[in-house]
Amino acid sequence: LIEMNPSLRHVGIVVDDMENCVNFWRDIMKFRVLKELDEKGKNLDKMIGLLNIDIHTTKLIDKNNNIIELIKFNSHNSVAQAWHGNQFSLGLTHIAVTVENINYFFEYIKSVYGDFGTTICKSDDGNVKMAYVKGPEGLLIELVEELK
């Protein structure tokens, strides 16, 4: 029997405005740019299952080595296929990020990307404060501050 111990490698997010999204993750969320690549070719086409793919990717890493990969499709119109779900839509809905000062992040993100109509609240067990916000291109982000 083969023992398997999978672990999360990264979270990929297709974006339209790479610069704005990199600025968000780097400048606001304090991730560090790890790698930028222009990618295309038959192997990528086979892996993704599309023809003539041409993408630009930026991988960003946080202090705990968690990686966000931003993907800009130059070859396919990703805007026409934008996800228009909400908090209860099936599939991936949000990314949760641990922050040290939820009030600051909540107010700042609202001031830049608009009020999503949510508030900061405490978990029932009192261990965290949390809130949903909408970031660049409508990405739903759960802010979590651990209370010690």
Side-chain angles (χ1 to χ4, degrees):
L1 185 65
I2 298 173
E3 187 171 328
M4 294 186 285
N5 295 305
S7 61
L8 185 64
R9 183 174 178 90
H10 65 261
V11 175
I13 305 168
V14 175
V15 302
D16 182 48
D17 185 341
M18 180 65 81
E19 182 180 357
N20 183 45
C21 293
V22 167
N23 290 344
F24 175 81
W25 288 103
R26 183 191 60 219
D27 300 341
I28 297 171
M29 293 299 179
K30 303 304 181 195
F31 280 55
R32 179 178 53 83
V33 174
L34 183 64
K35 184 189 304 187
E36 286 190 71
L37 289 172
D38 290 312
E39 302 179 62
K40 60 174 93 174
K42 290 181 182 180
N43 289 333
L44 188 62
D45 288 357
K46 288 179 187 177
M47 193 267 297
I48 294 179
L50 296 171
L51 294 175
N52 302 315
I53 292 175
D54 177 1
I55 60 175
H56 179 79
T57 61
T58 302
K59 288 186 180 174
L60 299 107
I61 189 167
D62 73 2
K63 66 182 179 182
N64 295 320
N65 295 321
N66 298 303
I67 297 173
I68 298 285
E69 179 183 36
L70 304 177
I71 307 161
K72 167 69 174 156
F73 276 82
N74 298 315
S75 57
H76 295 74
N77 185 356
S78 55
V79 175
Q81 303 298 320
W83 180 78
H84 295 290
N86 51 40
Q87 300 90 315
F88 52 87
S89 295
L90 293 177
L92 182 65
T93 57
H94 70 278
I95 296 174
V97 179
T98 302
V99 298
E100 291 182 10
N101 183 337
I102 195 169
N103 295 325
Y104 168 79
F105 282 95
F106 185 77
E107 292 304 323
Y108 183 80
I109 293 169
K110 275 183 16 179
S111 74
V112 175
Y113 297 103
D115 188 351
F116 182 50
T118 61
T119 59
I120 299 170
C121 63
K122 234 182 221 187
S123 62
D124 288 341
D125 63 10
N127 290 333
V128 298
K129 290 197 307 189
M130 57 201 173
Y132 272 155
V133 293
K134 277 213 175 173
E137 301 182 8
L139 178 66
L140 193 56
I141 299 169
E142 179 182 358
L143 300 173
V144 179
E145 179 181 338
E146 296 174 345
L147 303 173
K148 305 207 182 210

